DNA sequence: TGTACATCAGTGAACGCGCGTTCACTGATGTAC
DNA sequence: TGTACATCAGTGAACGCGCGTTCACTGATGTAC
């Protein structure tokens, strides 16, 4: 729907300027709803419409369906995740991995429902079905490609033992994801201090990967 | 409800013998539904009743509500997980940890929807709200206490560096959980071979924990 | 500058859905006399 | 052994819910003449 709106001859017609603004308001409201309630189920088309002060059908002027809306909301946050990871810099690739791992965990725990939607539910079903570019998007969004680059560099410079970079990078992803998802799913459990957990875990993992001198 | 059925004077009355059997059939049907569809949403009271060949209200003779039914279905599977982990033995605690980690991952990947219900959804909301024993049950069910015991032994015997056993055990749990949950949520992604992933991850982790000679 | 007209963002009402759960009931089962 | 009765597992019908989505519409906006 959205795509058919701004086409050909119509483009230089009408448009009171409200169009883009409402789209923005919808996204903002959906995001606020997700953050406030921490419950994906609370973010229904109807609830979002009510929050914006508009009727449900008007949502469909701007988003094809609910999936597209939710995806858009999360995409924005994950761009922020990628940015947060990009921001962590160091000349040492191993140190970079450590910092980026920490940034990943912090981000996930600060935005649990976004994280849940993107990485903790089934990919197949109603979710995001026939989108072939989804996986690539997700990998970019999770900063996985950055981890992969760092791992390659660590191996090339001899900081890490020779290994398959893809396996090593996936392993590091698993570690940070494991921490985030376990804590998100069981927030009431008395976890050891999270910062300490992730630091020690990454230490052990990175140390285990290091070339022995 | 279930509890009020078999009380006091009533006990030596009636009961055509069907009672217990239906409860069993309900659990079996719910389980089959969960495995066949791999979709928790497909396991509705109505669907289960239909599968058994009974009307929805009769489910309530045997289970207080939907939550209790689902919980029961999963509990059984997690007893099996604990049993599978218990079965892995070795005189060396580190080797035991390695085997149990592998058993954990295999189990999780073989029963993804059970795993999802128990460990990948919010604990707070409709889920299992006011059950104070839930966390303990869960820890026993996930075999965490076994991991903890193994870690303690590894530290006591000097195989591991001195450390807080709770943190170390949680770290190992995070590793296996991370692998399971990431693969479950993104089954279509071309993961490196899972057996290899878990083996190498545990190797690195256990090696990193080992006392340096 | 004034009027007729096309555009199109947002509306109001309704669709059909499946859900968890409740209620008063029925009718086979087994017991007491 | 035969009959009246209590039990209680399972039924049939209905409740109210919120959901995603559709449809034909309205009425302010801006343009063309």
């Amino acid at each position: 729907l959205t795509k058919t709106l701004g086409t050909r001859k119509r483009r230089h017609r009408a448009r009171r300027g409200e169009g883009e603004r409402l789209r923005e308001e919808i996204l903002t409201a959906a995001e606020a709803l997700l953050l406030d309630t921490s419950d994906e189920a609370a973010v229904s088309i109807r609830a979002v419409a009510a929050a914006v002060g508009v009727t449900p059908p008007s949502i469909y002027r701007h988003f094809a369906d609910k999936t597209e809306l939710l995806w858009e909301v999360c995409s924005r946050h994950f761009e922020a995740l990628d940015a947060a990871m990009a921001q962590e810099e160091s000349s040492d690739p191993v140190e970079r991995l450590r910092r980026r791992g920490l940034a990943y965990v912090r981000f996930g725990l600060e935005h649990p429902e976004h994280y849940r939607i993107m990485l903790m539910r089934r990919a197949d079903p109603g979710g995001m079905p026939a989108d072939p570019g989804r996986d690539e998007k997700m990998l970019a969004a999770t900063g996985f490609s950055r981890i992969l680059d760092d791992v390659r560099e660590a191996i090339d410079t001899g900081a890490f033992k020779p290994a398959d970079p893809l396996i090593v990078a996936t392993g590091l992803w698993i570690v940070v994801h494991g921490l985030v998802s376990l804590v998100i799913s069981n927030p009431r459990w008395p976890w050891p201090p999270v910062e300490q957990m992730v630091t020690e875990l990454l230490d052990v993992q990175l140390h285990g990967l290091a070339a022995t001198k």
Side-chain angles (χ1 to χ4, degrees), chain A:
Chain A
L1 258 188
T2 314
K3 290 149 203 159
T4 59
L5 287 184
T7 38
R8 294 151 310 187
K9 306 150 193 174
R10 293 173 180 175
R11 181 159 285 273
H12 48 80
R13 280 282 196 177
R15 171 177 298 173
R16 341 203 303 263
E18 295 287 297
E20 293 299 301
R21 191 174 351 139
L22 179 54
R23 184 186 163 88
E24 216 53 40
E25 284 176 29
I26 290 169
L27 283 171
T28 306
E31 161 132 20
L33 220 46
L34 195 55
L35 289 176
D36 290 351
T37 64
S38 281
D39 181 4
E40 182 191 343
V43 186
S44 63
I45 291 278
R46 294 171 124 99
V48 171
V52 176
V54 108
T55 57
S58 54
I59 304 278
Y60 290 87
R61 295 254 165 231
H62 302 276
F63 301 91
D65 53 24
K66 195 191 173 186
T67 300
E68 189 178 303
L69 170 56
L70 272 182
W71 175 265
E72 192 98 359
V73 170
C74 290
S75 289
R76 300 183 158 208
H77 264 257
F78 273 74
E79 280 166 24
L81 165 59
D82 191 52
M85 287 181 75
Q87 194 176 319
E88 299 291 334
E89 271 301 341
S90 168
S91 56
D92 175 9
V94 177
E95 178 59 24
R96 221 150 57 214
L97 281 169
R98 187 189 322 277
R99 291 190 188 173
R100 287 181 172 168
L102 239 159
Y104 184 101
V105 170
R106 285 205 189 107
F107 193 95
L109 296 180
E110 276 165 17
H111 311 289
E113 280 304 318
H114 293 86
Y115 193 88
R116 177 185 299 282
I117 293 176
M118 291 284 285
L119 282 166
M120 293 173 65
R121 63 178 196 181
R122 310 182 64 228
D124 349 332
M128 334 280 169
D131 182 356
R134 181 186 172 256
D135 288 334
E136 283 68 25
K137 279 185 216 152
M138 200 186 70
L139 285 199
T142 55
F144 181 77
S145 35
R146 289 181 199 283
I147 297 184
L148 191 54
D149 288 344
D150 293 341
V151 166
R152 284 210 183 93
E153 186 178 333
I155 292 175
D156 288 348
T157 60
F160 278 178
K161 288 179 275 200
D164 180 345
L166 194 62
I167 290 191
V168 171
T170 305
L172 288 168
W173 187 18
I174 283 171
V175 169
V176 287
H177 168 76
L179 179 51
V180 171
S181 70
L182 209 47
V183 173
I184 284 179
S185 297
N186 306 279
R188 293 182 316 181
W189 181 253
W191 299 104
V194 170
E195 293 273 328
Q196 188 185 351
M197 281 296 318
V198 60
T199 303
E200 296 200 7
L201 256 178
L202 283 173
D203 275 354
V204 168
Q205 194 72 19
L206 294 172
H207 177 261
L209 292 167
T212 45
K213 297 247 174 69

